[in-house]
Amino acid sequence: MLYQTKNPHGGDIYSEPITLDFSANTNPFGTPQGIMDAVSESLKNMHRYPDPYCRQLVQVISEFEQVPKSYILCGNGAAELIYAYCEAVKPKRAVELAPTFSEYALGLQRVGCQVERYTLQQDADFELGDDFLDFLNAQKPDAVFLCNPNNPTGKTICPQLLGRIVDFCRAYDISLFVDECFLDLTDHGESLKAHLASTPQLFLLKAFTKSYGMAGIRLGYCMSANEALLCKMSASVQPWNVSSLAQAAGIAALQEQKFLQNTKHLIQQERPWLKAQLERFGFWVCPSQVNFLLFRGPEHLARALKAQGIAIRNCDNYHGLSSGWYRIAVRLHSENEALIHAISKTLEEV
């Protein structure tokens, strides 16, 4: 647990009365009933230790992702795998984007790694450009960390550019970490898993948290053809790090593809509406391909909404952003309407 440390993420609804949480980008439909039933059924075995090899879960993931079982390592949420990766690779110099998910840099700092940042620009809609390759060539890092789609911008990386980055890292033996945790909720995002067999430098991160509404149960997995890397990562965590409940939930989740399709359909309907409403207030909104929106608004907005029982993600702790930047999840239409009404009320009171 966190101890005398400020929580750097969204989803903390426990210290104040929050009725609507837009700060965490989880599935707007919540958790599928099939997953909850599987967890409930697994309770009868709670007196037993969980399978330390996650055998059944790994088999199901292997079939779902169409990769060998030897490529898969499961963890106690994506965050544990990020820290285990940094501990295993121990790069001296790494490159990440700005803004991007903060846990990469935190994991790298634990192993004494110098982090260089490629700053994404608002006037380019926070797109990753071709000059990123020039940046990599100049920096000569040991590792590159990418988030596709990126958090908090919601932007997917051009597949052609991604392919060139993979080729560059393979040619120069650079470790390439790509976070695909939100990829299953994008419009047309493309995974790099087809490159795994030919690129032992490539590491892909996935999680059940966002797509299947499983934030509270903590389950993630990664894919890599580098078995030595996965062995090092496994050695850095305790053997029962994935609970029986989490394993049962993950197995059930991968049967919920209709649920996932319904979620994507809702997001594709609600995201443009929500973006248009925010722009109507005069806010700049980043075009997104996933289930959240980054926008710029008044500096007091998060505090004012919290007073109305609504949490949004204040993004002023992201490198490359400042006060007045916010991220919101795309939720059910009635909830999105409630948020827009609350923002309108806040602006009227100024």
Side-chain angles (χ1 to χ4, degrees), residues 158-193:
C158 170
Q160 290 74 26
L161 175 57
L162 265 177
R164 291 196 292 274
I165 294 170
V166 171
D167 291 342
F168 181 91
C169 290
R170 185 192 304 115
Y172 291 95
D173 195 23
I174 297 169
S175 298
L176 177 58
F177 177 109
V178 182
D179 183 341
E180 295 185 346
C181 286
F182 283 102
L183 196 66
D184 291 339
L185 293 176
T186 60
D187 298 340
H188 306 289
E190 296 182 21
S191 175
L192 288 175
K193 60 187 177 183

Side-chain angles (χ1 to χ4, degrees), residues 31-153:
T31 310
Q33 186 61 46
I35 295 175
M36 292 192 285
D37 290 343
V39 170
S40 179
E41 176 66 19
S42 72
L43 290 174
K44 65 185 181 184
N45 294 316
M46 198 161 57
H47 63 289
R48 296 193 176 105
Y49 282 100
D51 177 0
Y53 299 100
C54 300
R55 293 173 178 89
Q56 189 178 356
L57 176 58
V58 167
Q59 177 66 43
V60 172
I61 293 172
S62 172
E63 294 169 0
F64 178 78
E65 297 286 7
Q66 293 295 291
V67 301
K69 291 187 291 184
S70 61
Y71 285 18
I72 298 164
L73 182 69
C74 298
N76 187 255
E80 180 183 64
L81 294 168
I82 293 170
Y83 284 88
Y85 178 86
C86 294
E87 179 66 29
V89 175
K90 286 188 170 61
K92 299 299 183 184
R93 185 182 182 88
V95 162
E96 70 170 15
L97 306 182
T100 198
F101 188 50
S102 62
E103 293 296 328
Y104 315 140
L106 293 173
L108 290 166
Q109 288 167 14
R110 285 191 179 187
V111 296
C113 180
Q114 179 180 344
V115 179
E116 303 294 341
R117 294 183 173 89
Y118 174 93
T119 302
L120 302 166
Q121 302 298 323
Q122 179 185 350
D123 58 9
D125 289 342
F126 293 104
E127 293 272 4
L128 184 63
D130 290 341
D131 61 339
F132 182 64
L133 287 167
D134 296 329
F135 183 81
L136 292 182
N137 195 43
Q139 294 295 330
K140 298 291 193 302
D142 303 307
V144 177
F145 283 70
L146 296 175
C147 188
N148 185 40
N150 193 29
N151 176 10
T153 65

Side-chain angles (χ1 to χ4, degrees), residues 223-244:
M223 296 179 285
S224 173
N226 188 338
E227 293 186 29
L229 168 64
L230 298 184
C231 283
K232 286 183 180 179
M233 290 176 60
S234 177
S236 72
V237 299
Q238 56 103 350
W240 300 289
N241 59 327
V242 183
S243 73
S244 298

Side-chain angles (χ1 to χ4, degrees), residues 1 3-4 15 20 69 75 78 86 91 115 145 162 175 194 208 222 225-226 232 245 257 269 271 277 322 342:
M1 72 175 193
Y3 183 74
Q4 295 185 359
S15 61
L20 281 176
K69 291 187 291 184
C86 294
V115 179
F145 283 70
L162 265 177
S175 298
F208 293 85
C222 61
N226 188 338
K232 286 183 180 179
L245 306 186
Q257 296 314 296
Q269 285 186 317
R271 188 181 61 224
Q277 297 303 308
S322 58

Side-chain angles (χ1 to χ4, degrees), residues 208-317:
F208 293 85
T209 305
K210 319 300 183 182
S211 300
Y212 303 101
M214 288 168 48
I217 207 161
R218 311 309 305 139
L219 179 62
Y221 63 96
C222 61
M223 296 179 285
S224 173
N226 188 338
E227 293 186 29
L229 168 64
L230 298 184
C231 283
K232 286 183 180 179
M233 290 176 60
S234 177
S236 72
V237 299
Q238 56 103 350
W240 300 289
N241 59 327
V242 183
S243 73
S244 298
L245 306 186
Q247 292 184 41
I251 292 165
L254 294 181
Q255 314 306 313
E256 296 285 349
Q257 296 314 296
K258 181 67 181 303
F259 173 86
L260 198 57
Q261 287 301 317
N262 291 340
T263 302
K264 291 174 68 172
H265 180 70
L266 173 75
I267 293 165
Q268 289 164 3
Q269 285 186 317
E270 289 298 314
R271 188 181 61 224
W273 182 87
L274 198 51
K275 181 175 184 288
Q277 297 303 308
L278 293 171
E279 290 174 335
R280 187 169 57 84
F281 295 130
F283 300 164
W284 185 88
V285 186
C286 184
S288 170
Q289 285 88 45
V290 74
N291 64 321
F292 53 85
L293 290 167
L294 176 71
F295 70 95
R296 193 165 198 172
E299 293 188 6
H300 72 289
L301 185 61
R303 295 191 304 273
L305 290 175
K306 186 168 284 189
Q308 300 180 58
I310 298 176
I312 64 174
R313 175 67 159 90
N314 191 334
C315 293
D316 61 0
N317 67 332

